[in-house]
Amino acid sequence: MFLWLANVYRLGVKELRSLVFDPVLLLLIVYVFTLAIYAVATGAKLEVQNASVAYVDEDRSALSGRIISAILPPEFDTPVEISADRIDASMDSGAFVFVLRFPPEFEADLLAGRKSEIQLNVDATAMAQAGNGTVFLQSIIQAETAKFLSGNEDAAALPINLVVRAMFNPNLDSSWFNAVMQVINNVTILSVLLTGAALIREREHGTIEHLLVMPVKPSEIMVAKIWANGLAIVVAAVLSLVFVVQLLLGVPIHGSIALFVFGALIYMISVTGLGILIATFTTSMPQFGLLALPVLVIMNLLSGSTTPMESMPEWLQAVMQVSPSTHFVAFAQAILYRGAGLTTVWPSLVAMSVLSAVFFVIALSRFRKTMAGAR
């Protein structure tokens, strides 16, 4: 046992040295956990911000003017008046996200007790912005209309005082969500890519033949690649959480980073094993990349990091329980967002541990066959 651990340690150190002297992989790790995190967190906005609005005012009344003047930054740009015949062309060209059209006699109909309609054209290409912006505009129109008809600025107030408490993200800032989830997703991506690339690199450089004639076992080679590459990724992820997410972006981390690291290390066994498993079916980096790409896309998109699991079909939710990324996302979100402790996240830890053992056994079995064939 001592000899096995010593071999695993020495082979792992060799892996770390290979990684240190590979400028492309080093640059990839640095980019993925720094610039990529910052760019996604600050550039990919889910909330409505600076949405372009146009209006067609065929009423020219005090009420229509009041509604238009209530559409303000930062949610919306200053509304632009256009003619009715330009609505379709403006929407087709993407010049405006929202176009309001006030009909003739709009104010007069309301004052006379008759119903009137305002047309709101929405470019729903960006669904999140379109949906949220529509809700904001509806609230503005209803509030301003109620105040105008009653002559009381407080008339829009409801008899019930609804107190909204947004927990864990009080300002509903999407950068808080995007920054942390990007770190979590990048852990999965790099875990698969680095370990798979390590095995492919052995073949391309001819060092795999050196390992075959050495008194080392396939399990020692595989475990060494897992701990060395996993350690590099976990260290990079923690540094990214502290310096990029917390300090640079100002996103608070509510839970224990030590507990997150513990779960990430368990998760590493499954995803790094997956990377080695994929690499055993390929002979070059291009082949490995083409085979790993669809696997990573499915793992990230359906893990709950992009779309809540509850919004997926029940059969798909059941299928994704066999993916370790599903449990890792739930585990990381509970700790980093909501400050959950071990008593809350232990089911995810158990699931990750079981899946890690299964993935490791499958990958090791395939790796042994590959090594035996290479002999």
Side-chain angles (χ1 to χ4, degrees):
M1 185 64 182
F2 177 79
L3 179 61
W4 188 90
L5 292 174
N7 288 339
V8 168
Y9 170 75
R10 294 188 184 97
L11 289 171
V13 172
K14 179 189 73 69
E15 288 294 326
L16 290 176
R17 287 176 177 171
S18 299
L19 182 60
V20 169
F21 289 104
D22 191 328
V24 175
L25 288 180
L26 277 181
L27 183 61
L28 175 64
I29 294 174
V30 172
Y31 166 76
V32 162
F33 284 110
T34 55
L35 183 59
I37 302 295
Y38 182 84
V40 171
T42 57
K45 294 289 186 180
L46 299 178
E47 63 267 26
V48 179
Q49 188 172 18
N50 300 323
S52 55
V53 181
Y55 66 94
V56 177
D57 191 355
E58 298 176 325
D59 188 38
R60 301 287 177 179
S61 63
L63 178 55
S64 63
R66 178 177 182 142
I67 293 173
I68 294 168
S69 63
I71 302 173
L72 300 171
E75 289 82 9
F76 303 99
D77 282 339
T78 302
V80 177
E81 184 174 9
I82 62 174
S83 58
D85 57 359
R86 287 185 54 202
I87 294 179
D88 291 339
S90 298
M91 297 293 291
D92 292 342
S93 64
F96 301 102
V97 179
F98 304 98
V99 177
L100 280 167
R101 183 171 183 175
F102 297 92
E105 307 299 325
F106 167 63
E107 180 184 300
D109 287 341
L110 291 178
L111 291 174
R114 297 186 295 268
K115 289 186 177 180
S116 184
E117 295 182 351
I118 299 176
Q119 184 185 76
L120 175 59
N121 300 276
V122 183
D123 181 356
T125 305
M127 295 180 293
Q129 187 181 53
N132 294 334
T134 299
V135 173
F136 286 159
L137 288 174
Q138 287 177 334
S139 299
I140 291 172
I141 292 171
Q142 292 172 354
E144 295 301 322
T145 301
K147 293 176 184 177
F148 177 81
L149 293 178
S150 66
N152 182 1
E153 291 299 318
D154 297 326
L158 296 175
I160 299 175
N161 183 23
L162 177 64
V163 179
V164 178
R165 183 188 178 194
M167 299 179 66
F168 315 119
N169 189 353
N171 294 324
L172 304 179
D173 189 347
S174 62
S175 66
W176 287 25
F177 174 81
N178 292 334
V180 176
M181 290 315 307
Q182 191 66 17
V183 173
I184 296 172
N185 289 338
N186 289 348
V187 166
T188 301
I189 294 172
L190 280 187
S191 298
V192 173
L193 293 183
L194 285 188
T195 49
L199 182 57
I200 299 296
R201 187 170 59 240
E202 298 275 13
R203 292 175 178 171
E204 293 179 343
H205 294 175
T207 54
I208 191 69
E209 287 79 8
H210 298 167
L211 293 175
L212 292 176
V213 298
M214 293 176 63
V216 294
K217 300 176 181 178
S219 61
E220 295 171 347
I221 299 174
M222 180 173 165
V223 173
K225 293 184 182 300
I226 288 176
W227 83 254
N229 291 284
L231 177 63
I233 294 169
V234 170
V235 169
V238 171
L239 292 176
S240 179
L241 283 174
V242 174
F243 293 103
V244 178
V245 176
Q246 284 187 296
L247 296 182
L248 184 59
L249 294 172
V251 179
I253 301 298
H254 297 285
S256 169
I257 292 184
L259 181 58
F260 169 76
V261 169
F262 176 70
L265 290 174
I266 296 176
Y267 177 63
M268 287 292 104
I269 299 174
S270 59
V271 282
T272 51
L274 177 61
I276 292 176
L277 178 63
I278 295 174
T280 59
F281 291 97
T282 62
T283 57
S284 65
M285 280 302 296
Q287 288 182 354
F288 173 72
L290 289 174
L291 190 58
L293 182 61
V295 176
L296 291 173
V297 169
I298 292 174
M299 287 180 67
N300 281 342
L301 290 182
L302 301 181
S303 64
S305 62
T306 303
T307 304
M309 292 294 296
E310 294 78 7
S311 65
M312 301 180 191
E314 291 186 2
W315 67 266
L316 185 56
Q317 294 182 41
V319 169
M320 288 308 297
Q321 297 306 307
V322 302
S323 172
S325 62
T326 301
H327 303 283
F328 181 61
V329 166
F331 167 83
Q333 286 181 342
I335 294 175
L336 301 179
Y337 286 136
R338 300 186 287 274
L342 184 60
T343 55
T344 301
V345 300
W346 71 264
S348 297
L349 279 175
V350 171
M352 285 192 294
S353 300
V354 173
L355 290 173
S356 293
V358 172
F359 273 75
F360 179 82
V361 170
I362 295 174
L364 180 58
S365 175
R366 173 64 188 176
F367 184 65
R368 279 175 173 164
K369 292 179 181 180
T370 303
M371 295 286 287
R375 292 180 189 271

